[in-house]
Amino acid sequence: MVDGTIFVGLCRLREYPMDQEGKVEEEQPSASHSNPALSSDHKDSSSLCAELSPLEDIIFVDKQAVEKLTNGLISHYLPDLQNSKRALQELTQNQGILLDTLDQEITKFRECNSLLDMHSLFTEAKIYHNKLVSIRKEMMMLHEKTTKLKKRALKLQQQRQKEALEKEQQREKELERERQLTAKPAKRT
């Protein structure tokens, strides 16, 4: 179905014939326009035009007029559309540049965060290294103390063994002395 405005426009084209250049031929004032009977015919033709089917209207349209109207419409809107296209391309290009810049900044922030993380890791590693050094010193000190205690224990053990040996020797001497002091019964001969 044809839009009403196009249909009315086509009917008007039928009412006002065009010349070869697509201009509407102006009708010269004539007696037919002053005659009310003819003007009623004009109204009848417009009502008739409104009743015609769209196919019949297309038959009466001049192809050159359509082409010229199309070219005029294109020449009227094309520069604005091309400017808009250029502006959109420039905006798209700028948006791409901004996206790349944003990606670079995000990468920098990530690197900064990773550097901060690395810095905290190094600080933490330093703290743990200091703890390990202090534990090692404590272990070495404890090792020295245990070594000294082992030597002392060994000396004490040797001294006790010596004392026990001396006591044993003294006891044997006392037993020997007691044996010697004990009276011996004389032997009868």
Side-chain angles (χ1 to χ4, degrees), residues 22-72:
K23 295 180 183 175
V24 176
E25 291 181 358
E26 294 182 16
E27 294 182 15
Q28 299 296 328
S30 64
S32 65
H33 283 292
S34 59
N35 189 349
L38 288 177
S39 63
S40 67
D41 285 334
H42 181 54
K43 287 179 185 176
D44 289 337
S45 68
S46 64
S47 64
L48 178 66
C49 183
E51 293 174 2
L52 290 177
S53 69
L55 192 78
E56 291 176 0
D57 286 336
I58 293 174
I59 294 170
F60 292 107
V61 174
D62 186 16
K63 289 186 180 181
Q64 279 186 336
V66 171
E67 189 174 319
K68 287 182 180 181
L69 285 172
T70 304
N71 289 338

Side-chain angles (χ1 to χ4, degrees), residues 172-184:
E172 283 180 14
K173 282 181 185 178
E174 285 179 15
L175 283 174
E176 187 66 36
R177 189 186 276 170
E178 278 183 29
R179 273 191 218 145
Q180 287 176 358
L181 290 177
T182 22
K184 290 184 184 177

Side-chain angles (χ1 to χ4, degrees), residues 96-144:
I97 292 169
L98 285 174
L99 285 174
D100 290 342
T101 306
L102 186 63
D103 284 341
Q104 290 173 358
E105 292 299 319
I106 288 172
T107 305
K108 287 180 185 177
F109 279 122
R110 285 184 182 154
E111 288 174 1
C112 263
N113 286 338
S114 65
L115 286 176
L116 289 174
D117 290 343
M118 286 176 57
H119 181 68
S120 66
L121 283 175
F122 280 122
T123 306
E124 197 172 332
K126 195 172 188 179
I127 290 169
Y128 285 123
H129 177 71
N130 290 338
K131 285 183 179 182
L132 282 172
V133 167
S134 65
I135 289 172
R136 187 174 183 192
K137 284 180 183 177
E138 283 182 35
M139 288 179 68
M140 290 178 76
M141 201 167 60
L142 288 172
H143 179 69
E144 288 174 10

